[in-house]
Amino acid sequence: MLSDRVVVIKGDIVELDVDAIVNAANNSLLGGGGVDGAIHAAAGPELLEECRSLKGCPTGEAKITSGYHLPAKWVIHTVGPIWRGGTSGEDEMLARCYRNSLKVAVRNSVRTIAFPSISTGAYGFPVDRASRIALAEIAGFLGKGSSIEKVLLVCFNERAFESYSRALEEMAL
Ligand code: AR6
């Protein structure tokens, strides 16, 4: 059942012992604030070294590195859209972040993966809209059958937790 494979939790993504955590990065992949800053701080400077070799990442795409000092084996870096009012293709770009991160995960035999709430911090994407897009994309991907056993949606605050929990209920997976 899909509902067993998608879980909404509250917590800090850097602490999770999963195969891969997803980073909400920027186009440079050279670090930043928010979850990006937390992941780099916890993984150690080796992560930045490997990120330099990737030469950035277009919005909506995803690239993988090792997790270094993180419990997670891999970090999948994706770049969410900056919210510009909703009529500049933001929804589709955000959907592509989830889809492409999951594709990269499958190519690397990932079975457990944790996502943060991409684009809903510094990039200003409304969280209710983002949570529905995230859940729809993940459910669509898992529904086609894949090696992924568990997807965690990691919420850093109560507001996000409520929004993702509601979106999961609405999907009635
Ligand atoms: N674990 C889980 N979620 C977290 C954590 C954490 N440790 N820390 C923050 N969040 P943001 P964006 C949540 O701003 O909107 C960076 O500077 C946070 O509460 O991290 O995609 C990048 O370099 C929010 O719900 O990412 C880019 O420049 C969510 O993660 C830019 O910010 C995303 O917030 C990307 O902006």
Side-chain angles (χ1 to χ4, degrees), residues 28-30 40 44-56 63-68 73-75 77:
S28 77
L29 295 188
L30 298 179
H40 275 273
E46 297 96 329
L47 179 62
L48 183 58
E49 276 310 301
E50 187 175 358
C51 282
R52 278 190 218 287
S53 72
L54 298 177
K55 308 284 179 219
K63 295 187 178 183
I64 194 166
T65 64
S66 285
Y68 299 98
K73 182 171 184 214
W74 306 106
V75 180
H77 307 262

Side-chain angles (χ1 to χ4, degrees), residues 11-15 23-39 78-82 94 115-125 127 154-157 160 164:
D12 186 339
I13 202 166
V14 305
E15 294 173 0
N23 183 16
N26 57 57
N27 294 122
S28 77
L29 295 188
L30 298 179
V35 71
D36 194 7
I39 289 172
T78 190
V79 184
I82 297 170
L94 185 64
F115 283 93
S117 178
I118 300 166
S119 280
T120 65
Y123 282 180
F125 205 115
V127 66
V154 187
C155 301
F156 205 51
N157 55 52
Y164 280 78

